[in-house]
Amino acid sequence: MATKIYIVYYSTWGHVATLAEEIKKGADSVPGVEVTVWRVPETLPEEVLGKMHAAPGREDHPVITARQLAEADGVLFGFPTRFGMMAAQMKAFFDSTGGLWQEGALAGKPAGVFFATGTQGGGQETTALTAVTQLTHHGMLFVPVGYTHGAGMFAMDEVKGGSPYGAGTFAGADGSRTPTDAELALAEHQGKYFAGIAKKLKAVV
């Protein structure tokens, strides 16, 4: 039976959605793994989204319900930052998982995070750190990418997002910056690395 990996994200300008696709590419490279990309429900009205110049939701990424999380063997959550923490849309989704928490439905499942921030000081680490509280209360097993991507993670020759906590990118204050090749490479690696861990765990549980 295939190991089911769910990539669940919220994206304002499309940066997190781009990372999600790269993560899927990496996870898909692991034999015996089945990967699905999902969006969480939007909480803002269209009028507000228009003023923010938000990208339209990806129709090829269906909207997930909290209950569907229980179907996965492992979940990677992606989100932009708001003042060093996950965006309210993702927090609202986690807030809707109370029933799963009560049942312990997510306990023992591996989970990871990826993210986008507007600036270098915008929360590439704090966004991940504060997200771990959500995973902890569910009893999920946090799987950071660490420095498993190799020497490139130590390179100082370019500005790049991402950290040992997970893949990341910088959107720029106005959303005009796009993910770089280095950022996309880390995202793909995270997908492959996480899928391998989830597959091993499923085999022994």
Side-chain angles (χ1 to χ4, degrees):
M1 186 178 296
T3 300
K4 287 188 175 182
I5 303 296
Y6 282 4
I7 301 169
V8 180
Y9 77 90
Y10 175 74
S11 190
T12 304
W13 287 323
H15 297 75
V16 179
T18 298
L19 292 181
E21 282 293 333
E22 289 299 311
I23 288 173
K24 182 180 186 299
K25 186 187 302 182
D28 277 336
S29 71
V30 178
V33 170
E34 179 184 299
V35 189
T36 308
V37 181
W38 304 84
R39 292 180 287 140
V40 301
E42 179 59 78
T43 60
L44 293 175
E46 288 297 327
E47 181 182 358
V48 174
L49 292 171
K51 291 179 179 179
M52 294 172 65
H53 305 291
R58 292 276 299 264
E59 294 301 324
D60 55 327
H61 298 161
V63 176
I64 193 170
T65 65
R67 179 55 55 182
Q68 287 172 303
L69 278 181
E71 302 167 357
D73 296 306
V75 187
L76 282 157
F77 297 98
F79 33 80
T81 188
R82 300 291 185 266
F83 302 111
M85 297 187 293
M86 66 174 63
Q89 289 86 343
M90 182 60 76
K91 182 59 169 64
F93 178 73
F94 272 111
D95 287 350
S96 74
T97 62
L100 298 178
W101 165 79
Q102 195 170 30
E103 299 165 7
L106 303 181
K109 294 180 184 288
V113 297
F114 58 103
F115 33 82
T117 66
T119 62
Q120 291 185 68
Q124 289 279 316
E125 291 193 353
T126 61
T127 303
L129 278 170
T130 51
V132 170
T133 61
Q134 312 297 309
L135 311 181
T136 300
H137 281 267
H138 275 290
M140 302 186 84
L141 309 177
F142 179 49
V143 181
V145 72
Y147 284 91
T148 59
H149 192 39
M153 295 187 72
F154 297 92
M156 300 288 287
D157 57 334
E158 65 174 301
V159 174
K160 60 180 181 295
S163 72
Y165 298 95
T169 187
F170 298 115
D174 60 357
S176 61
R177 184 184 182 276
T178 56
T180 66
D181 289 343
E183 292 166 347
L184 295 175
L186 178 57
E188 182 176 353
H189 170 76
Q190 183 178 12
K192 182 177 182 179
Y193 178 75
F194 181 85
I197 296 291
K199 182 178 177 181
K200 289 176 183 177
L201 285 173
K202 182 178 174 66
V204 299
V205 173

